[in-house]
Structures are given as C-alpha cells and as structure tokens.
Amino acid sequence: MVLLSLTASHRELDLDALERLSTGSSSVGRVVVGTCGPVAGAVVISTCNRFELYLDVDAPLSGDSVRHATRHVAELVAHASGVTGDVAARSFTVRTGPEVTEHLFAVASGLDAMVVGEREIAGQVKRSLAIAREQETTSKTLELLFQTASRTSKRVGTDTELGAAGRSVVALALDLAESELPPWDGARAVLIGTGSYAGASVAALRARGCEDISVYSQSGRAEAFAESHGVRPVDSLVEALADADIVVSCSGARGRALAARTDEAALGAMVAGNFGGQTTLPHGLTGEVGPEASLGHVLDAAAVVRARERAADRAGDEPEPRPLVILDLALHRDVDPLVADVEGVLLYDLATLKAHAPAVAHDVVAQAQGIVDAAARRFEETRLGREADAAVVALLDEAEVRVVAEIDAAVARLTDELALRGEPAPEESDVDVIARDVRKRVHAELHDKIVAVRARATAEARAAEAALVQGAVALTMTASTQRDADHRSSR
C-alpha cells in the first residue's frame, strides 16, 4: 500500500482558481475508487480554502506511476470542475509516503489554515472521513491515517496556546465587521445556511453578545436548525435582510448544485482502467468553460437592493438606514460580487479575510509543529513496521516447518530407543516436553533473524518511499513553475 495525496489550497492558488478546481468535489473520491483498479481507498477534504484528495494505492508506484496517477485524477477533476486537464494537473501539490502524513496532520491541527490555529478544520477532517465511510471509499490505512490526524489535532488543541486562542475564519470575519456594526447586544444577524459554519457562527455571535439571530435555508432546513440552536427561522430572505445589520452566508448551496451536474458515468469512462492507461476527455467536454457560469448565487444584487429599499422605507425620517455588512464564507460564492456595489452594503469574502489573517507567535507555532512532527514519525514507523510484517511472517512460517520436522525426528529417535530397550512408545507428556524444548531452541535462534529481516524490510520500504517522494517533489516543482509562468502571463 502506498499513500498518495493531491492537494490544492489558499497557499498555492488564489481563491477564484481554487473555487473552480473544487467544483464537483463530492463525486471525485467515489468515482476514483470505483473505476481506478489500484486505488483501494480515497478521502476528499473540500473546505472554504482547500481541496485535497488522499488515496490509498494498492500497487507499487514508481516515478512514472505517480505521474500517471496524478494526470488521471487531474483529468477527473478537470471534467467535474470545467477547467482544462493541464490546469488541473499543475494546480495540485503531489505528495507520497511520509509527506502525506505530515501534511494531513498539519492541516488537521490548523497549522496550514488560512487563519493559523483555526479549530473548524478539525471537524472538517472528521467529516471528510465520515463521508468516505458513507460512500464506501475509505480503507484500513486511510482510516488509521485520518483517525490519528484527529487525535493529533486534539493534542495540539489541548497542549498549546494555539488551541486556546479561539481562532477561526468566522471569528476573523466578525472581528473585521465589528467596527461597522452597532453594539453586539443590539445587532441583528441573519445566517444563510445550516451547515457547520452556521453552527460556529451562532456560537461566535453569542460569544460577542449578539442574541438576535435568524436563519434562512434554501434547502428547507431552517426550522430544524433554528430549533436545535435556539435561533429564529425565516422564510423570506429579502424581509430578513431589510432588518439585518450583519449577514453571515455559508450555505455552500451553489457548490453543491455545481457538483450535482457531474456526470459520474462519463467520469467513470474517463478514468477506467488502472493508472497506466491513457486518459481522454469524453467527446464535447473541453473544459474551457466552467459550469458555474450559468448558475445563480444564493444572494444576488437585486435581492439586496430590494432589501435596502425596504430598510429605507422603515427608517422613515432617519437620514439613511444603518449599513448592512455581509460576510460570504462559502468557497463557491453564495453572494454575487456585484452586491459590493450596492450603496450602504459592505461585502467581505474569503479573499478579504485571507488578506487580513493575523500572524501567530513563532514559539506557539513551533510547539504545535513539534507535536505534529512527532505524531507523523510514530505513524510512519508503525506503517512501515506493517510493511515489514510480511517478511517476518514468512520467516515464522519457515521456522514452524522446521519445528514440526525436528519434533517428529526427536520423537522418532526416542521411540526407537525405547523399542530397543523393550519399553512402550513415548507418552503424550514425553512428546510435549520434546516439543517445548524444540520450540524454545528454534525461537531463540530466530530472534536475531527476525530483527535483521524487519530492519532490512523497513530500510527497503524507506528507500522505495524516498524515491517516490523525490518523484513527487519533481512533479510538484514542475507544476509550481508552470503556475508562476501562468501568473506572469496573465498580468
């Protein structure tokens, strides 16, 4: 088994490119496992600032195989997202072996987040594994990898100041909006969406003293969410906006609608076979135009204009209604960017938040990184130990054959000696004594051999993975160079 990851995040791509790339992400893991023979498991992490695929490959991978695998999955992502295959391929950072473990543990612990130390990512990593279980795409190795990542994240949260800081994308957004709002105990908030960010938003708003919170959902889940979180459901978004001071939009509905357009049959045909095969886009799918072009936003400029007009009517003789702050925390923008042009409206999106993300003290990050590094080393030692188990089992099997042969020979000699003396054949207790002595001697001789075989098998596994890592690094450097060239040419 070999671990392989293809990752793209706010560190490598601007959020517009990341948004396009992650369209259709919900189907990628299922289709890869269902159609690519060597892939034993897949888990996909798709959040507001990252899109990552973790694969468990049941085949020896060479540098060429890594390139084939990357291209195969990139074409799959390209088809689902509407970008070209070349763009998808060079958007990913490719990792293999221990680098996969190190990266995932850092991600789960918030060290690779847009807001370093944010805790939402820990829940997102857990949910990614849960989704893979539901889709039946996980594997024993990926289960252990992601569960260990969650335990590592928990330790970082409890053993360092990083976890005590209460840092999150939601908290940062509310901090940025605060200067434009009335006091929190008098502010009126509207949530769009009922997912994990909505729950985190309720908690963050209440922590600041805001109690007037309502929720709107296109999917009809507002009432259930409102009941479980103690907020108020609304049916008319425009009416709710007319009374609101702040809107937190985090539905992701546009992203799910885009994903629903994915034709899994065509995707399956595109990646059928194993990693060594050729990949061809189905006829008519060039990937030149993203499918999101014709899909509306959850909140458009027209709706906001109507809401502002109603707010002005209700303000009566007041010079102007209070400003409306809108926080768009969805990667696949819930809010039409044109909303920013509406008078009296301030729109903050993920790009704005990224630009204002605060730094963290170096010693705090170093302490958290130390925990992550130690956990990754332990995981890799355990995993490589399992690689060596096959060699040890083979040695034990050989030893058992020798033990049986030596016991039979010893019993036969004793039987002959007793017969010469006219005595009866050995009793069962005599045979048991012989068996214990033989096993003790053979296993004592075997100890040093087991140590040597395990060391040799582990060293061979490390060497093979080191070669794979070099291949992945070379592939990533090529992709990074191409991204830089694309960026320069677009200026």
Side-chain angles (χ1 to χ4, degrees), residues 388 449-461:
K449 291 182 179 180
I450 289 176
V451 172
V453 165
R454 184 179 291 277
R456 184 168 61 252
T458 301
E460 290 173 354

Side-chain angles (χ1 to χ4, degrees), residues 31 62 174 221 295 297 323 479:
V31 176
S62 63
L174 295 179
R221 290 193 287 263
L295 193 67
H297 294 83

Side-chain angles (χ1 to χ4, degrees), residues 114 187 215 410 444:
M114 189 164 67
V215 61

Side-chain angles (χ1 to χ4, degrees), residues 412-424:
R413 286 195 301 272
L414 178 58
T415 301
D416 292 341
E417 292 173 2
L418 292 174
L420 289 174
R421 295 200 298 265
E423 297 179 11

Side-chain angles (χ1 to χ4, degrees), residues 396-419:
L396 290 172
D397 288 343
E398 292 177 7
E400 184 60 25
V401 171
R402 177 185 166 190
V403 164
V404 171
E406 291 196 13
I407 291 173
D408 290 345
V411 171
R413 286 195 301 272
L414 178 58
T415 301
D416 292 341
E417 292 173 2
L418 292 174

Side-chain angles (χ1 to χ4, degrees), residues 71-104:
R71 187 67 192 187
H72 236 61
V73 177
E75 293 288 1
L76 169 63
V77 171
H79 184 192
S81 65
V83 303
T84 65
D86 287 339
V87 168
R90 60 178 177 255
S91 295
F92 286 115
T93 295
V94 182
R95 295 178 176 87
T96 58
E99 290 194 345
V100 175
T101 305
E102 293 163 4
H103 177 71
L104 177 60

Side-chain angles (χ1 to χ4, degrees), residues 339-357:
V339 166
D341 297 330
V342 178
E343 186 175 356
V345 174
L346 295 173
L347 174 62
Y348 296 95
D349 60 12
L350 288 174
T352 308
L353 301 185
K354 180 179 179 181
H356 288 83

